[in-house]
Amino acid sequence: MAKKTAKKSKPTKMVYYFGKTKTEGKNVGKDILGGKGLNLADMTSIGLPVPPGITITTQVCADYYKGGKKLPKGLMDEVHDGVATLEKELKKKFGDNKNPLLVSVRSGAAVSMPGMMNTILNLGLTDESVVALANATNNQRFAYDAYRRLIDMFGDVVMEIDREHFEHAFTAIKKKYNASQDNEVPAEGLVELCNEYKAIYKKYTGEDFPQDPMKQLELAIEAVFKSWNTTRAVRYREVEGIRGLLGTAVNVQSMAYGNMGQDCGTGVAFTRNPSTGENKFYGEFLIDAQGEDVVAGIRTPQPVAEMSKWNRTVYKQLLEIKDTLEAHYKDVQDIEFTIEKGELFMLQTRNGKRTGAAAVKIACDMVKEGLIDEQTALLRIPANDLTQLLLPSFTPESKKNAKVLTIGLPASPGAAVGALAFTAEEAVERSHAGEKVLLVRKETSPEDIDGMHSAVGILTSTGGMTSHAAVVARGWGRCCVAGAGEVEIDQKGRKIKVGGKTYKHSDILSIDGSTGQVMEGSVETSEPKLSGDFAKVMKWADEYRTLGVRTNADTPKDSQRARDFGAEGIGLCRTEHMFFEEDRITSMREMILAETEEDRRAALAKLLPFQREDFVGIFTAMKNLPVTVRLLDPPLHEFLPHDPKAQKEMAEMLGVSPAKVKSRVAALHEANPMLGHRGCRLSVTYPEILEMQVTAIVEAAIECKKNRVNAMPEIMIPLVGTAAELALLRAKAEETIEKTKQDQGYKGELDILIGTMIEIPRAALTANEVAEHAEFFSFGTNDLTQMTFGYSRDDVNTFLPDYTRLEILPTDPFQSLDTSGVGQLVEMGVTKGRKGRKGLKCGICGEHGGDPASINFCHTVGLDYVSCSPFRVPIARLAAAQAAIRNGK
Ligand code: ADP
Ligand code: MG
Ligand code: MG
């Protein structure tokens, strides 16, 4: 018999079981099982009490969409097999009329998207099995409570019935039975409610609530897949920059019942405080409740610390599990649990989201506790989250005098001052218009994401430490005060009442996310310091990193601040800002209007002392550290007024005719100013500008030396595209340095490096030639990106949002370096540059110098340093260490 030639490839497994019988998913990745699925399998295999179930892979979700929104063939067979194993293990039967098995159907992607996708609980209940459940548990109230929840969730998630209809019916029943809380409605009331829910279901769908449990299951699985692509889920992934996932997994898990009475309950907790990092079990629980009741704020939950009073054994067990989980994951966990008749079940664990401050403290504590080493600790802290520690806080003095209106929960630390916005849309609009706003809501929901993101702070009047507002705000490091119950919000009237006073939308309040205080007016804030654990992390970072970190600064104040944050010099000192101040702009304009070299020189001579003074200040603040000064860069028209009125004023000031000003402005007009007469091209045309600037630098350096301040200036010539340009200007600069030294009668050492910015693709392509005239390169990746892509940096927002939305570009290339394109020019610039000049010093001074992903790239291509804004210096130090650790030192 002929052998089959083509071996049929084994079909990919679509369903993984977790339970006592077997745990199949242990070694399968998060990308396939989703975070929730993988961790359920994990927890099962390390012996924690987890209700057994199955996980349908994310690949199935991808196939569902690929196949035109159809469940792939064979899926339901595998699900049937899984359910059969579950039935055997639990000795219950799905849809049974004696002892029915009920399941939850839960979403869960590889990256957690809290509250974004759907979950259905108590699935498998029907008119018949609800009676069976009531009999089997001898608890009719519970059985019908489970059933009403199912009809509600299924109606909402699968059939998209507006939840309000169910809520109205529930409110009416509560009234009828005189119940103030959900769990006070007696059994007969819940029986009645289920009938009403079924009627609502029929009214809005035209169908009866499905009485076949398998049909329920199939529809629910499909609904979870659909929830992957709802607008809010898509928007969430956009905001969070989550890309490249297959889809969501679906977990079908046997139910644990927290709603069977006073010996039952459900809760959520963090193994450590996610706001401060303190090593203390932190969370909330609710007796006789199920699922989302805790987070939804149905009743006020109790802190977990109170649990020992209610059930000591369970509390102790929970504390043990907390330690087991931390030892296993070696990180803080965010958990969900349910207690059914005194028996504890774990329903979820994931790495806990935390504030930047908590991340730092937890990393340091865990090193001390021996859980992780320094390198792991450094990798644990998202470098960008350090921004939160660098945020201002309210000054103690100003707080003493502040009028505290009320105190809510300190949900997410920070200090925020802003006017009041009452809807997410309003917050977005007003923030776009440049206003600082606090988003004030009763409670936020996933629909408010955009508004929360734009607001400087969030204030809610209900909800606890684990409410939506609190969790999301902490994730972003946005300041949030939650559950400030005394704040009465009148959303329509755009005002709030608190402390007996009314504040309208234009009034300013200050909120302190570390204490929960809500204060009147604008309370003064102060800048942070590097101390304690933060300083320790920075010290570790400095031990591991090989990249230098400099700053972009052009004032003594910024220089000092950057130095306090650990900057090792200035990588970019822009000189144009120095020409804008009141007394200088006039001389600058005089220079631009000058028609002869002589007049130009006269105007420049007036600017020279100002420049020199500025440099003395900066060199002094940065003593013993290099300061790269960039010569004048922008096109001259940027210094001239463009409206007729201002032109007239300028003419008067300079004693020339308005027509002359107008004509000079017109003459300077360029169609493409960014590609125009700027950078080194200015010095080619007007060498006297270069002369003045270099003279000021040298005179300042000499003055510093005389004051025993070791100034270390470096002269950087911008926008060079050819070696010849640089050769010419370098010679000019050298000549000027010599001349100035002589004029000053200075005989000492003065080692001033001369280098260039690499920001024109041609300079990178010919870097070996350019390097012959440069002692250093600094990659100006803003312009380099602009010119490599051909995107005008100033106008790019007209189309860039579409490019990222459609994933034509993975991210905004002006924020994170395009490593595969622009990065190649950087790499070539370094390699070729060092061929032209051995040991050429190379750095980066574009915006990218403060972006962790770009810093990683800079490390791999062998740059000597990155330079970024003062507030990003600590971030860059950490990111540089992470790059060194990740790539092997
Ligand atoms: P989310 O991803 O939005 O947190 P979950 O899938 O975790 O949604 O479920 C929502 C709520 O239902 C959670 O509180 C969870 O603990 C609870 N829940 C889910 N599955 C079960 C189950 N099998 N038994 C009891 N409670 C469950
Ligand atoms: Mg959950
Ligand atoms: Mg530039």
Side-chain angles (χ1 to χ4, degrees):
M1 211 160 87
K3 268 191 186 167
K4 270 190 194 156
T5 41
K7 244 206 258 161
K8 252 200 181 160
S9 67
K10 210 174 140 211
T12 19
K13 196 168 163 54
M14 291 187 272
V15 171
Y16 289 78
Y17 190 87
F18 58 90
K20 288 221 166 62
T21 316
K22 56 186 175 182
T23 302
E24 300 177 312
K26 272 182 298 201
N27 301 314
V28 184
K30 224 199 237 192
D31 50 334
I32 294 297
L33 291 181
K36 198 180 285 169
L38 177 66
N39 289 350
L40 284 170
D42 255 1
M43 286 200 290
T44 307
S45 66
I46 59 172
L48 298 186
V50 176
I54 56 174
T55 303
I56 304 169
T57 66
T58 56
Q59 183 62 55
V60 178
C61 182
D63 292 344
Y64 170 79
Y65 281 104
K66 253 190 247 150
K69 298 201 187 169
K70 277 205 193 69
L71 295 179
K73 251 188 37 214
L75 171 68
M76 286 316 288
D77 294 337
E78 279 193 48
V79 170
H80 280 223
D81 291 349
V83 171
T85 315
L86 212 53
E87 291 178 330
K88 239 195 238 147
E89 184 171 322
L90 294 169
K91 301 193 180 62
K92 287 182 183 177
K93 270 203 152 7
F94 201 45
D96 194 20
N97 49 18
K98 272 210 214 74
N99 189 10
L101 165 70
L102 302 190
V103 295
S104 62
V105 178
R106 322 171 63 187
S107 55
V111 178
S112 97
M113 300 167 50
M116 284 297 140
M117 293 184 294
N118 293 323
T119 293
I120 299 173
L121 304 179
N122 309 321
L123 196 122
L125 275 179
T126 58
D127 289 352
E128 213 175 307
S129 64
V130 71
V131 178
L133 184 67
N135 291 336
T137 56
N138 200 12
N139 190 339
Q140 194 191 21
R141 199 199 163 276
F142 151 69
Y144 282 88
D145 184 57
Y147 199 23
R148 64 100 185 162
R149 289 173 189 266
L150 170 63
I151 303 168
D152 178 347
M153 281 187 259
F154 191 93
D156 167 38
V157 172
V158 180
M159 307 306 289
E160 293 174 21
I161 302 172
D162 195 336
R163 274 197 120 146
E164 263 189 21
H165 302 306
F166 295 118
E167 269 165 36
H168 285 317
F170 200 7
T171 313
I173 287 281
K174 279 201 274 191
K175 211 169 186 181
K176 178 168 170 190
Y177 287 88
N178 224 344
S180 60
Q181 309 280 12
D182 292 7
N183 63 341
E184 287 166 15
V185 178
E188 72 256 38
L190 290 172
V191 174
E192 211 178 314
L193 184 63
C194 286
N195 286 328
E196 283 189 30
Y197 272 18
K198 279 187 291 179
I200 292 171
Y201 187 94
K202 178 132 199 200
K203 181 171 168 197
Y204 290 98
T205 63
E207 294 164 23
D208 283 322
F209 181 72
Q211 295 295 314
D212 172 3
M214 265 306 164
K215 191 70 208 161
Q216 288 178 4
L217 184 54
E218 186 172 342
L219 288 171
I221 291 170
E222 188 172 354
V224 170
F225 285 152
K226 282 194 182 134
S227 72
W228 173 250
N229 268 345
T230 57
T231 322
R232 65 175 197 192
V234 171
R235 183 75 193 115
Y236 181 86
R237 290 196 290 276
E238 251 170 51
V239 169
E240 296 286 315
I242 302 170
R243 288 195 180 80
L245 300 188
L246 284 168
T248 180
V250 182
N251 300 285
V252 179
Q253 186 179 26
S254 53
M255 287 301 300
Y257 304 113
N259 54 335
M260 288 177 93
Q262 291 302 309
D263 52 354
C264 302
T266 183
V268 293
F270 287 82
T271 54
R272 300 184 190 212
N273 187 317
S275 185
T276 63
E278 192 191 0
N279 187 1
K280 218 168 137 190
F281 195 41
Y282 175 95
E284 290 161 331
F285 77 108
L286 204 54
I287 295 167
D288 194 14
Q290 190 180 52
E292 310 274 27
D293 289 2
V294 179
V295 258
I298 304 277
R299 278 174 279 146
T300 307
Q302 309 180 51
V304 278
E306 303 280 306
M307 195 185 253
S308 59
K309 282 189 222 148
W310 173 67
N311 188 331
R312 227 183 126 71
T313 327
V314 166
Y315 184 58
K316 263 182 63 189
Q317 194 189 352
L318 208 46
L319 289 183
E320 274 162 30
I321 289 178
K322 157 185 98 80
D323 291 338
T324 308
L325 285 173
E326 280 204 349
H328 181 75
Y329 291 102
K330 306 206 182 303
D331 202 351
V332 173
Q333 296 298 297
D334 166 357
I335 61 175
E336 288 174 6
F337 57 88
T338 281
I339 298 119
E340 176 181 329
K341 296 192 147 195
E343 189 179 348
L344 175 65
F345 291 96
M346 298 303 296
L347 292 170
Q348 189 172 334
T349 190
R350 59 183 169 213
N351 290 343
K353 286 204 166 113
R354 66 207 77 173
T355 61
V360 166
K361 174 159 175 55
I362 290 165
C364 288
D365 285 354
M366 286 194 163
V367 170
K368 245 186 274 164
E369 292 158 27
L371 268 179
I372 55 175
D373 59 18
E374 283 176 15
Q375 304 195 18
T376 312
L378 286 171
L379 291 175
R380 270 295 160 69
I381 304 166
N384 271 327
D385 288 0
L386 293 182
T387 335
Q388 299 162 28
L389 284 91
L390 299 164
L391 289 177
S393 54
F394 293 114
T395 61
E397 311 84 68
S398 69
K399 273 194 86 169
K400 246 187 254 154
N401 302 320
K403 177 166 177 197
V404 178
L405 301 171
T406 184
I407 299 182
L409 299 169
S412 181
V417 179
L420 312 181
F422 293 88
T423 64
E425 297 77 56
E426 184 189 348
V428 171
E429 265 169 38
R430 289 171 65 187
S431 308
H432 273 299
E435 203 179 349
K436 289 206 163 99
V437 298
L438 300 175
L439 179 63
V440 185
R441 306 277 295 164
K442 246 181 100 172
E443 164 61 316
T444 61
S445 71
E447 281 84 2
D448 296 324
I449 287 283
D450 264 353
M452 298 168 74
H453 203 244
S454 338
V456 293
I458 300 156
L459 172 63
T460 68
S461 60
T462 60
M465 293 295 280
T466 47
S467 63
H468 180 263
V471 171
V472 173
R474 275 200 297 273
W476 289 334
R478 187 76 80 257
C479 172
C480 173
V481 171
E486 288 171 4
V487 178
E488 285 171 42
I489 303 174
D490 173 2
Q491 190 186 316
K492 278 223 181 82
R494 299 179 76 199
K495 57 186 189 224
I496 62 170
K497 221 170 125 183
V498 57
K501 271 183 84 174
T502 303
Y503 299 89
K504 46 183 200 314
H505 65 97
S506 52
D507 289 330
I508 305 250
L509 294 186
S510 302
I511 60 172
D512 186 335
S514 317
T515 62
Q517 288 160 309
V518 179
M519 294 162 287
E520 188 177 71
S522 164
V523 179
E524 194 198 342
T525 55
S526 75
E527 274 156 25
K529 289 214 161 49
L530 297 193
S531 59
D533 285 335
F534 193 4
K536 187 190 277 175
V537 166
M538 286 295 109
K539 199 179 130 250
W540 290 341
D542 292 346
E543 278 163 29
Y544 288 97
R545 72 183 161 94
T546 53
L547 266 177
V549 176
R550 294 197 193 179
T551 192
N552 299 350
D554 46 28
T555 63
K557 189 165 165 242
D558 274 355
S559 309
Q560 188 56 51
R561 175 185 290 146
R563 217 184 159 133
D564 293 343
F565 285 153
E568 299 159 306
I570 291 183
L572 174 63
C573 175
R574 298 179 172 93
T575 50
E576 53 269 19
H577 295 168
M578 305 173 180
F579 295 124
F580 276 103
E581 270 165 55
E582 213 33 67
D583 40 352
R584 309 167 180 201
I585 189 73
T586 315
S587 311
M588 186 65 186
R589 289 171 172 172
E590 210 178 310
M591 190 275 287
I592 296 170
L593 283 189
E595 274 164 7
T596 63
E597 189 189 321
E598 203 188 335
D599 288 351
R600 233 181 342 265
R601 282 191 183 277
L604 283 165
K606 291 189 211 163
L607 286 170
L608 189 132
F610 292 122
Q611 282 255 281
R612 185 179 54 223
E613 234 175 86
D614 288 339
F615 290 139
V616 168
I618 293 167
F619 296 163
T620 308
M622 275 289 161
K623 63 176 166 240
N624 296 322
L625 293 175
V627 175
T628 307
V629 180
R630 179 181 70 181
L631 302 187
L632 193 64
D633 184 57
L636 297 181
H637 79 88
E638 285 192 10
F639 298 95
L640 296 182
H642 286 89
D643 68 298
K645 193 167 155 252
Q647 287 180 1
K648 211 168 140 231
E649 278 169 20
M650 170 180 159
E652 268 164 33
M653 184 105 83
L654 297 181
V656 297
S657 73
K660 184 174 172 181
V661 174
K662 203 171 153 209
S663 86
R664 187 66 181 135
V665 171
L668 286 173
H669 174 81
E670 289 174 313
N672 267 321
M674 279 300 112
L675 302 178
H677 198 179
R678 54 177 286 228
C680 66
R681 299 160 201 171
L682 287 171
S683 298
V684 170
T685 318
Y686 310 115
E688 50 280 8
I689 298 179
L690 175 147
E691 276 170 40
M692 182 280 281
Q693 291 201 292
V694 172
T695 307
I697 293 168
V698 176
E699 287 183 3
I702 292 173
E703 190 178 323
C704 286
K705 298 254 166 171
K706 283 183 184 155
N707 295 329
R708 297 180 181 282
V709 169
N710 181 25
M712 298 173 64
E714 303 175 339
I715 293 170
M716 178 153 77
I717 296 171
L719 219 72
V720 161
T722 77
E725 260 171 334
L726 186 60
L728 174 82
L729 298 175
R730 182 190 175 93
K732 261 267 160 301
E734 280 176 338
E735 218 172 84
T736 309
I737 293 172
E738 269 325 300
K739 178 166 183 300
T740 312
K741 275 168 81 173
Q742 267 172 26
D743 291 350
Q744 298 282 311
Y746 185 78
K747 301 249 158 41
E749 271 291 301
L750 208 58
D751 213 5
I752 301 180
L753 302 186
I754 299 174
T756 182
M757 242 166 131
I758 304 289
E759 50 191 338
I760 293 213
R762 194 184 185 284
L765 295 168
T766 57
N768 48 332
E769 295 165 15
V770 176
E772 282 174 32
H773 312 284
E775 278 142 332
F776 64 87
F777 279 178
S778 178
F779 290 89
T781 47
N782 297 344
D783 265 310
L784 193 59
T785 299
Q786 165 162 276
M787 304 214 203
T788 304
F789 275 97
Y791 295 164
S792 160
R793 189 153 40 114
D794 306 297
D795 309 310
V796 74
N797 272 331
T798 49
F799 60 87
L800 190 65
D802 295 330
Y803 273 56
T804 45
R805 184 175 54 81
L806 296 170
E807 300 196 10
I808 296 171
L809 292 174
T811 47
D812 175 352
F814 290 101
Q815 274 174 24
S816 200
L817 190 72
D818 159 47
T819 53
S820 54
V822 180
Q824 294 312 297
L825 286 172
V826 174
E827 185 168 14
M828 178 188 296
V830 174
T831 318
K832 283 194 150 184
R834 287 185 180 148
K835 273 206 189 105
R837 181 185 291 257
K838 245 185 108 190
L840 176 79
K841 191 160 64 154
C842 296
I844 180 177
C845 61
E847 234 36 52
H848 305 100
D851 169 62
S854 311
I855 292 171
N856 188 65
F857 178 80
C858 292
H859 173 92
T860 59
V861 299
L863 290 192
D864 296 298
Y865 67 86
V866 297
S867 188
C868 56
S869 69
F871 275 111
R872 295 202 74 85
V873 166
I875 295 166
R877 286 161 76 190
L878 176 56
Q882 291 172 338
I885 294 167
R886 235 182 260 129
N887 301 293
K889 226 178 161 175

